């Protein structure tokens, strides 16, 4: 784990990271309310490779809510997600349900510090980078951290769950 100064508390994600002793770098940007592709917006405004910026999606796998963390440059492979958790069928969860269970709004759902901790799977491609970017818990805030730290704080596993656009 990194031994830098933890990011200041603010969102539940930042507080959870601080409590876990995981140092991150917070990156804020001006979110455009008209923008609906939140991950690509973050990559563009932060001048980042979209392969290093990951989106958080909530899916239902055989009726159990599961979080998938995949690069914004690709798409979630629902069959692969189901397979990764030993399930048969996965579908994206209703956005209202995802918001209620995570405590975040769509476009700001972080895999970290969720109201109801959900089983989490991170696309294995994250391990190719020293650091990756995920939502910090609100639109206009991404956090940068090591993939191993992301997996540790979310009790996640890595699996091939993304596919090309």
């Amino acid at each position: 784990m990194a031994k830098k100064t933890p990011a200041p508390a603010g969102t539940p994600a930042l507080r959870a990271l601080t409590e876990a002793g995981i140092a991150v770098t917070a990156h804020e940007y001006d979110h455009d309310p008209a923008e609906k592709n939140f991950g690509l917006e973050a990559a563009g405004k932060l001048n980042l490779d979209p392969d290093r910026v990951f989106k958080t999606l909530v899916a239902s796998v055989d009726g159990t809510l599961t979080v998938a963390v995949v690069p914004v440059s690709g798409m979630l492979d629902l069959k692969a997600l189901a397979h990764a958790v030993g399930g048969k069928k996965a579908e994206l969860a209703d956005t209202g349900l995802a918001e209620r269970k995570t405590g975040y709004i769509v476009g700001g759902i972080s895999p970290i510090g969720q109201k109801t901790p959900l089983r989490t799977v991170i696309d294995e491609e994250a391990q190719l980078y020293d650091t990756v970017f995920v939502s910090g818990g609100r639109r206009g805030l991404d956090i940068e951290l090591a993939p191993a730290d992301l997996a540790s704080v979310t009790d996640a596993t890595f699996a091939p769950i993304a596919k090309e656009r």
Side-chain angles (χ1 to χ4, degrees), residues 27-51:
H27 298 270
E28 294 190 75
Y29 59 92
D30 290 326
H31 165 65
D32 178 354
E35 182 61 62
K36 296 301 178 217
N37 193 325
F38 305 106
L40 288 177
E41 177 192 29
K45 291 205 172 172
L46 296 173
N47 198 26
L48 299 168
D49 177 348
D51 291 343

Side-chain angles (χ1 to χ4, degrees), residues 2 6 10 32 72 84 93 135 137 157:
D32 178 354
V72 301
S135 174
T157 57

Side-chain angles (χ1 to χ4, degrees), residues 1-26 104 112-113 136 143-145 149 153:
M1 279 199 277
K3 294 293 180 193
K4 295 188 284 184
T5 304
T11 66
L14 291 173
R15 287 192 298 276
L17 289 161
T18 299
E19 288 171 17
I22 297 173
V24 300
T25 304
Y104 296 115
I112 304 162
I143 51 177
E144 179 182 2
L145 73 167
D149 287 341
V153 75

Side-chain angles (χ1 to χ4, degrees), residues 12-135:
L14 291 173
R15 287 192 298 276
L17 289 161
T18 299
E19 288 171 17
I22 297 173
V24 300
T25 304
H27 298 270
E28 294 190 75
Y29 59 92
D30 290 326
H31 165 65
D32 178 354
E35 182 61 62
K36 296 301 178 217
N37 193 325
F38 305 106
L40 288 177
E41 177 192 29
K45 291 205 172 172
L46 296 173
N47 198 26
L48 299 168
D49 177 348
D51 291 343
R52 281 185 65 203
V53 180
F54 285 69
K55 57 188 167 187
T56 305
L57 301 170
V58 180
S60 175
V61 180
D62 298 336
T64 300
L65 290 181
T66 304
V67 171
V69 182
V70 297
V72 301
S73 59
M75 296 174 54
L76 172 61
D77 182 333
L78 289 165
K79 281 186 171 186
L81 176 63
H83 177 75
V85 297
K88 293 183 179 167
K89 183 180 179 202
E91 60 188 2
L92 288 177
D94 171 75
T95 56
L97 178 61
E99 289 179 342
R100 283 190 305 279
K101 290 296 183 179
T102 64
Y104 296 115
I105 62 167
V106 169
I109 294 178
S110 179
I112 304 162
Q114 295 179 354
K115 185 174 163 184
T116 303
L118 302 172
R119 183 176 197 170
T120 302
V121 181
I122 303 166
D123 185 66
E124 66 184 4
E125 296 287 314
Q127 298 173 99
L128 297 175
Y129 303 99
D130 291 335
T131 61
V132 294
F133 295 76
V134 297
S135 174

